Amino acid sequence: MASRRTIRAGIAALCGLVLAGCAGPAQYYGGTGVHDATAAQVTGRWANVEGTRVELRGDGTAVLRKLDGQDFDYDEGWRLSGTGTWRLADTDGGQVVRLALKTSTRVDERAQEPADAQVASEDTQPPTTYDWSLYVDRSKREHELKLFFFYGDPDIGNTYVLTRTAKK
């Protein structure tokens, strides 16, 4: 027969495994470790493959076009456009662009997958202001900067990546 101490240790270990299994990569993300990017390097035009455009201007203002919500807000399906502000912050885990939509000029709706139609049918209003935290990272091969945030269920760790666009 097992002793009470052995049973308690087994229960504690099992609880630890269950809790660890519930925590996805985005929930406890420690950052990219990038600490050497400058505001001048982050300034410019950024885009993703789904038509999002973000311009981070040298004066700290920003113009956004069709930027989706981060984390669970992504599941709402809205895409925000407008103007706002940004700043480069350095945290223990790495640098983050703090992007704030101050004036919304347009709200678009992202095309929903059939399985997501039920979520989109809920009567939720998109926000008129919104804040993003975009992690600053460098590609390993080209050492180019990229910006990203997590979207959807944090257990999955989906990343929404913005890359620099060519200057016109």
Side-chain angles (χ1 to χ4, degrees), residues 62 64 81-86 99-105 128-132:
L64 298 72
S81 298
T83 58
T85 60
W86 73 277
L99 178 62
L101 175 71
K102 301 293 186 182
T103 304
S104 178
T105 57
T128 56
T129 62
Y130 194 81
D131 296 325
W132 291 265

Side-chain angles (χ1 to χ4, degrees), residues 50-69:
E50 293 184 23
T52 296
R53 301 283 182 262
V54 175
E55 182 180 355
L56 303 176
R57 296 178 174 166
D59 64 357
T61 60
V63 178
L64 298 72
R65 187 174 139 242
K66 295 184 178 182
L67 186 56
D68 293 279

